[in-house]
Amino acid sequence: MLAWHAMKTTQAVARPLTSLARHGASRRAFAAPGWATVDPETMSAAQPAEGMNLCGGSWSKSKHSQDIVDPLNGDAFLKVPNTGLDEIEPFVQRMASVPRSGLHNPFKNPDRYVMLGEVCGAAAREMFKPEVSDYFCRLIQRVAPKSYAQAGGEIKAVRTWLQDYSGNSVRMLAESQGLPGDHPGQSTVGYRMPQLYVWCRTVITPFNFPLEICSLQTLSAVFMGNQCTTKVDWKVAIVMEQFLRMLHACGLPKADVDYIYCDGPVFNEVLLRGDAKMTLFTGSQRVADKLAVELKGKVKLEDAGFDWKILGPDVMDVDFVAWQADHDAYGFAGQKCSAQSMLFMHERLGQRQVDIVGRLAKLAGQRSLENLTNCPVLTWPTEKILDHMERCLSIPGATLAFGGQPLTGHRIPPQYGAVEPTAVRLPIEALEDSGSFDMATTELFGPFQVLVDYKEGQQSKVIEAINRMPNHLTAGIVSNNPIFINEVLGNSITGTTYAGARARTTGAPVQHWFGPSGDVRAGGIHTKHAIQLCWSSHREVIYDYGPTSQIPPQS
């Protein structure tokens, strides 16, 4: 989410956290903020941090706790509530107690729009404090060990977004549209209301963005008048808990958001028993489809993304193109729904003087666990990653472009993955076989991508391949040729597509929509349009004050 020049500078001075995470000893730059209840500098097996549920404005523990292990050494350094089925009734009752017209709407409690704008402004100012920004960066690194620059990208995005919605911007989300009527005294106004017959809105988010996705979606729901219940993958959920505590210190009413630590089946029961009227889910396609059925379609999805990038025939700025491709594929070890999963390379990129694959291999080889530019894979163990690589290498014509080895000299626990940034290379013809296509387009949430060579005149094969992919989240078209770009854009449907010499797949800035396309359930994030689409509904009010002196003839 940082500009090219800023990213290069930040990477050069990125703070390594490996020594802190392994040994629990590092000279702190800042003390934890006053509202914080955990300290990333002291979290350890000897002094585990502790998370808490939030329900009805009160923080509490559950009967049992769940140990969360340090991704870099396997020590249980965090204890969070393991909320059981016999403990969810307060959350269910909270969902049932919310007024159906929401906590606020254009007719009721409009002062809350003003209050929420003030909260956003105060929260943005809080996050501009160096000690607060550093606190969140270090906390993110402890639970999801991305580089300091990658963690800082989340902080910058959330802070900028809070600035965007300070002042009157929350109120403007409820902007109405009006038209004159058929006769004097009649007019019609379309209002943005909380989702029809609101009880409660739910947000379910994964581990890979411990702050950005969950914070923006939760606040977006609240902006539109919904009470929200949020669940984050409990490996990283402590970050969102601390963000909520910061918001409370900045004036957010504690009862606006409920927050729960639990496993998936338990929260599934909360959704069903609470009759959730809208759920925003970010995560795997399998779970997304399950929720869509069980919640009778009352979902918005920011689902899985096997994301593609096409390097067009006009070769230019190769050093930058290679840097961006490396960043998209291997930033945070590829653990992003927007990560570059398949890179289509025009034959001109393979010329000796260009050698795009060689440039990618060199950049990937510079990534290191020491500064967390490579890091543990939190959902795929090493063996599973290497097995998938071998299956891809069994595709006719496939070769190992680079990587393919497990990392050594570390204490990453075995349930997590630790491998070199890896790429398998295929000819475009290999994707014509359905079995090979399915294998090559299986999303691996780790430092792995598939490189596909295509020749001049084979653009139609590339377009056919990208449209066969089941998910359409992000994509990049690296070209400054408007005819080539238009051909790809006109024949593809990916929701967030970057086009031009600087095209990427990751790092969506907060001023534009981020979300999938080609699915009626598709949800979005960041923008006014995304918030209105996901978290509000249209209500039409026809005002008709008269005059009533002239009664029309009976029809």
Side-chain angles (χ1 to χ4, degrees), residues 298-374:
K298 297 189 286 286
V299 295
K300 289 292 184 182
L301 307 178
E302 186 193 332
D303 52 11
F306 187 91
D307 305 300
W308 50 266
K309 181 187 287 182
I310 301 172
L311 304 184
D314 47 329
V315 178
M316 62 199 156
D317 304 321
V318 182
D319 285 338
F320 177 84
V321 170
W323 175 86
Q324 186 66 67
D326 169 79
H327 182 70
D328 287 341
Y330 302 123
F332 189 30
Q335 297 173 95
K336 302 179 184 181
C337 53
S338 57
Q340 174 185 296
S341 302
M342 182 167 281
L343 180 65
F344 294 89
M345 307 176 300
H346 190 276
E347 60 183 334
R348 292 176 187 166
L349 276 298
Q351 295 172 351
R352 180 176 299 179
Q353 64 272 26
V354 179
D355 188 20
I356 190 67
V357 176
R359 294 172 190 263
L360 289 173
K362 181 178 179 180
L363 290 167
Q366 295 170 358
R367 292 186 170 272
S368 168
L369 188 62
E370 183 62 29
N371 61 7
L372 297 180
T373 51
N374 193 17

Side-chain angles (χ1 to χ4, degrees), residues 209-509:
F209 286 91
L211 180 61
E212 182 179 353
I213 297 175
C214 46
S215 62
L216 270 58
Q217 291 291 13
T218 296
L219 280 174
S220 294
V222 173
F223 288 168
M224 301 312 299
N226 306 293
Q227 179 184 291
C228 186
T229 301
T230 298
K231 177 197 177 300
V232 180
D233 187 314
W234 53 12
K235 292 191 293 293
V236 302
I238 193 69
V239 179
M240 181 62 185
E241 179 191 324
Q242 298 305 299
F243 182 76
L244 284 172
R245 292 179 183 274
M246 185 197 77
L247 292 178
H248 296 161
C250 293
L252 181 73
K254 289 185 178 180
D256 277 14
V257 178
D258 288 347
Y259 193 65
I260 186 170
Y261 289 87
C262 62
D263 64 16
V266 169
F267 196 65
N268 195 80
E269 189 67 16
V270 173
L271 296 176
L272 296 178
R273 286 173 54 183
D275 192 21
K277 297 300 182 182
M278 212 297 281
T279 296
L280 189 289
F281 174 75
T282 303
S284 75
Q285 185 66 51
R286 179 186 63 81
V287 177
D289 290 339
K290 176 180 182 294
L291 287 174
V293 172
E294 294 186 349
L295 299 178
K296 301 177 182 178
K298 297 189 286 286
V299 295
K300 289 292 184 182
L301 307 178
E302 186 193 332
D303 52 11
F306 187 91
D307 305 300
W308 50 266
K309 181 187 287 182
I310 301 172
L311 304 184
D314 47 329
V315 178
M316 62 199 156
D317 304 321
V318 182
D319 285 338
F320 177 84
V321 170
W323 175 86
Q324 186 66 67
D326 169 79
H327 182 70
D328 287 341
Y330 302 123
F332 189 30
Q335 297 173 95
K336 302 179 184 181
C337 53
S338 57
Q340 174 185 296
S341 302
M342 182 167 281
L343 180 65
F344 294 89
M345 307 176 300
H346 190 276
E347 60 183 334
R348 292 176 187 166
L349 276 298
Q351 295 172 351
R352 180 176 299 179
Q353 64 272 26
V354 179
D355 188 20
I356 190 67
V357 176
R359 294 172 190 263
L360 289 173
K362 181 178 179 180
L363 290 167
Q366 295 170 358
R367 292 186 170 272
S368 168
L369 188 62
E370 183 62 29
N371 61 7
L372 297 180
T373 51
N374 193 17
C375 59
V377 179
L378 302 188
T379 54
W380 281 60
T382 300
E383 182 180 357
K384 186 178 178 182
I385 294 172
L386 297 179
D387 285 347
H388 177 72
M389 179 193 72
E390 293 297 337
R391 287 194 294 272
C392 288
L393 287 172
S394 70
I395 296 172
T399 58
L400 181 65
F402 53 83
Q405 296 297 317
L407 300 180
T408 58
H410 61 79
R411 295 173 57 201
I412 296 171
Q415 66 266 37
Y416 296 152
V419 298
E420 297 175 342
T422 299
V424 169
R425 190 172 184 178
L426 303 171
I428 185 69
E429 292 81 5
L431 299 181
E432 295 175 359
D433 175 77
S434 59
S436 298
F437 179 88
D438 291 343
M439 177 58 61
T441 58
T442 297
E443 183 181 18
L444 195 167
F445 223 53
F448 180 86
Q449 66 175 323
V450 176
L451 310 178
V452 180
D453 292 296
Y454 73 99
K455 296 181 175 60
E456 185 68 29
Q458 291 187 317
Q459 286 91 331
S460 62
K461 291 182 181 292
V462 174
I463 291 172
E464 191 273 338
I466 62 177
N467 284 332
R468 286 171 64 193
M469 298 176 188
N471 305 113
H472 305 281
L473 183 58
T474 68
I477 308 167
V478 182
S479 173
N480 275 351
N481 182 332
I483 296 175
F484 179 82
I485 291 174
N486 196 64
E487 179 185 3
V488 179
L489 289 176
N491 291 283
S492 60
I493 60 172
T494 300
T496 301
T497 304
Y498 302 87
R502 294 173 60 95
R504 49 189 161 144
T505 65
T506 65

